Amino acid sequence: SQLAESGGGLVQPGGSLTLSCKTSGFGLLGLPIGWFRQAPGKEREEISCISDRAGTMTLYAESVKGRFSISRDNAKNTVYLQMNSLKPEDTGTYYCATRSRPSPGLCAPDEGFYDFWGQGTQVTVSS
């Protein structure tokens, strides 16, 4: 069982990337997903999260509001993070995480809410 992030890469400032977080070995339907990033020399911070099932609850860090969008496709066991108008300060390793205990309709901007993590995908925003 694992979470696998993909879609990272090198992009110029102002560009876009779409990250994917796919589950394998278990279904996505009943799980909230959080996206976090860690820049070199900095602590990991939450970027966005989406609640389980229909994803009725979404949260975004102030630094990405209006630029990033989170969505989920339960049939594909995948959560997406669409990142637009990227800035050099968006550079970092992006992780997705989920929570094994039931939390219907909730997600949280807190690492402690999540107990299962992916390995990360690198995003570099540079000209």
Side-chain angles (χ1 to χ4, degrees):
S1 299
Q2 63 176 351
L3 288 174
E5 303 93 339
S6 62
L10 173 64
V11 63
Q12 292 186 341
S16 298
L17 282 175
T18 301
L19 303 184
S20 298
C21 173
K22 184 174 176 62
T23 67
S24 63
F26 56 95
L28 180 69
L29 181 63
L31 301 177
I33 295 290
W35 279 101
F36 294 76
R37 74 180 173 205
Q38 187 166 23
K42 295 187 176 181
E43 294 187 354
R44 191 157 55 186
E45 61 172 336
E46 185 175 79
I47 299 304
S48 183
C49 69
I50 188 167
S51 58
D52 63 339
R53 301 186 182 273
T56 53
M57 179 178 183
T58 58
L59 295 173
Y60 297 93
E62 286 296 324
S63 60
V64 306
K65 275 184 181 178
R67 299 189 298 122
F68 289 14
S69 178
I70 192 170
S71 62
R72 60 190 296 147
D73 185 336
N74 295 323
K76 294 182 178 180
N77 289 322
T78 302
V79 167
Y80 302 99
L81 185 68
Q82 175 68 44
M83 308 188 295
N84 299 324
S85 302
L86 283 161
K87 305 175 181 180
E89 51 263 43
D90 294 318
T91 293
T93 302
Y94 283 69
Y95 301 89
C96 65
T98 191
R99 173 183 171 97
S100 58
R101 289 165 289 169
S103 56
L106 297 176
C107 68
D110 179 359
E111 285 193 31
F113 184 80
Y114 306 94
D115 57 13
F116 193 75
W117 292 77
Q119 295 299 307
T121 186
Q122 177 66 34
V123 172
T124 303
V125 184
S126 175
S127 54

